[in-house]
Amino acid sequence: MTTTRDASHTESAAEVGNGWVDWLARRRLALPALLFLDAHAPLRFVAGQTLVVAAPVAGLLGLDAVQKWADVLSDDQSFADLRRAVTAADQQQPS
């Protein structure tokens, strides 16, 4: 069963992920981003928790996306969804 908090995290993860994936696809940077995500996967959770700590201060400065990125990096499923989206964007790019 999905709670309201889980649903809002999933929506925010999809929102931040889709915007970022579209930006990468337009600039043909999906493959380098995929390599970066895979290379730094062991540090993903630590980075997400660091962003959780920084999110309140970032929110005061108007950087609301920090909490969304913290949610993506801290949650295994959200990160896997982001990785799948980047992979799909890379496969759609013409050679």
Side-chain angles (χ1 to χ4, degrees), residues 38-63:
D38 287 343
H40 292 88
L43 300 174
R44 171 187 60 82
F45 185 76
V46 173
Q49 293 303 300
T50 302
L51 290 177
V52 167
V53 171
V57 175
L60 292 174
L61 299 173
L63 302 171

Side-chain angles (χ1 to χ4, degrees), residues 32-78:
L34 190 58
L35 293 172
F36 182 84
L37 289 174
D38 287 343
H40 292 88
L43 300 174
R44 171 187 60 82
F45 185 76
V46 173
Q49 293 303 300
T50 302
L51 290 177
V52 167
V53 171
V57 175
L60 292 174
L61 299 173
L63 302 171
D64 297 326
V66 173
Q67 181 60 48
K68 294 175 184 177
W69 275 107
D71 294 341
V72 170
L73 294 175
S74 296
D75 181 45
D76 292 335
Q77 184 62 40
S78 296

Side-chain angles (χ1 to χ4, degrees), residues 7-24:
S8 67
H9 284 310
T10 303
E11 290 171 9
S12 68
E15 177 185 317
V16 73
N18 288 338
W20 189 65
V21 170
D22 292 341
W23 185 88
L24 290 171

